[in-house]
Amino acid sequence: MDHDLPLADELAAVSVRMSGLLLSRETVHTALSLVTSLAGEALPGIEGAGVTLMDEHGRKVTAAATDSLVEQLDGLQYELGEGPCLSAWEERRVVRVDDIAAEVRWPRWTAAARGSRMRATLSAPLVAGGAALGALKVYGREPGTFGEREEYVLTMFAAQAAILMANVRSFDDARKLSDALVDQLRGRDVISMAKGILMAREHVDEGTAFAMLARASQEENKKLRDLAGTLIRSTIRRDR
């Protein structure tokens, strides 16, 4: 397969722009918007592009799209449980449709999609670290919009996009973990303050003070941290 120098330049430019996004630690939404817009720039004849991912509830959704019709055609795939984008994701391979009107695969989806202005589509899986994260797809208005060159470009582009998404997700997961750790430490501080109040008020040691809090937590059916916070607030009001 013959791939010329301009193609290499295009992929290098995509990589540079994606790397810049990683360095600036943008949000997942910003990353997805960049992926879809770059896909539109990298391939000629594209009328729309989108990214399919799994949401927090385990449902396949269009996380970003350049055109509302892309969302509609994708939505039909999710609703019917079949289509080129889903096949690309599940089978981890590029799937090309030269003419939706003449396509015989996915009969329910093609029947529903034939009335749209989109006539061709190309989908590639987003695979990083052995995990299939989703799929990237582009649509064209003319039959035969995409060929071997476009398959190659989209495959390389999807590989870069998958790395981007994996890194952005890792950053988000780390941030969530950090937030959870901070919240946990704050809870421990609140409990420690409540223990100190009981130690001073009841003239007991630390172990006894904690046992008192734990017993009250069970009796009142409250979380230990919430009970400790209530004790601290009531003590502050009393001392004013």
Side-chain angles (χ1 to χ4, degrees):
M1 193 181 300
D2 182 24
H3 304 300
D4 52 14
L5 181 59
L7 173 56
D9 290 340
E10 291 170 5
L11 294 175
V14 166
S15 180
V16 168
R17 291 182 67 177
M18 287 187 174
S19 297
L21 182 69
L22 282 177
L23 291 174
S24 63
R25 293 185 173 182
E26 294 290 346
T27 64
V28 171
H29 177 73
T30 301
L32 292 173
S33 297
L34 178 64
V35 166
T36 53
S37 64
L38 285 177
E41 295 174 14
L43 292 169
I46 288 178
E47 287 295 321
V51 176
T52 295
L53 297 175
M54 194 88 74
D55 69 9
E56 62 273 17
H57 303 295
R59 299 172 301 196
K60 291 181 174 66
V61 296
T62 300
T66 60
D67 189 286
S68 60
L69 184 54
V70 171
E71 295 179 330
Q72 294 175 22
L73 293 173
D74 285 354
L76 287 172
Q77 295 190 57
Y78 312 146
E79 179 183 344
L80 298 172
E82 65 174 33
C85 174
L86 297 184
S87 292
W89 184 350
E90 294 165 1
E91 300 171 14
R92 300 190 182 194
R93 65 180 180 87
V94 175
V95 175
R96 188 176 87 200
V97 176
D98 293 326
D99 188 353
I100 292 176
E103 181 58 60
V104 296
R105 295 170 291 180
W106 322 288
R108 290 182 297 166
W109 179 77
T110 51
R114 283 188 186 115
S116 76
R117 69 173 185 271
M118 302 299 188
R119 294 292 301 276
T121 183
L122 187 64
S123 304
L126 299 174
V127 180
L133 306 178
L136 171 67
K137 85 297 303 271
V138 292
Y139 289 90
R141 295 184 67 173
E142 299 297 328
T145 298
F146 310 114
E148 288 188 354
R149 181 184 184 279
E150 287 72 28
E151 285 189 21
Y152 178 78
V153 172
L154 194 66
T155 299
M156 296 298 100
F157 187 87
Q160 294 285 341
I163 294 172
L164 168 68
M165 295 312 305
N167 279 278
V168 172
R169 282 186 170 185
S170 295
F171 172 71
D172 274 5
D173 290 343
R175 184 172 55 188
K176 290 176 183 177
L177 180 60
S178 177
D179 291 344
L181 181 58
V182 169
D183 188 62
Q184 181 180 3
L185 291 175
R186 285 175 178 168
R188 291 170 62 177
D189 288 343
V190 169
I191 293 172
S192 294
M193 290 177 63
K195 286 192 299 183
I197 292 172
L198 288 177
M199 289 168 67
R201 181 193 301 172
E202 306 296 335
H203 304 288
V204 296
D205 60 21
E206 183 179 357
T208 302
F210 181 79
M212 294 172 65
L213 282 173
R215 184 169 59 252
S217 173
Q218 291 180 343
E219 292 175 350
E220 298 182 27
N221 194 27
K222 289 184 178 180
K223 292 182 179 180
L224 189 60
R225 173 179 173 172
D226 294 341
L227 184 69
T230 300
L231 175 60
I232 293 170
R233 288 191 294 272
S234 63
T235 302
I236 292 173
R237 286 195 296 269
R238 189 182 302 118
D239 292 341
R240 284 178 177 176

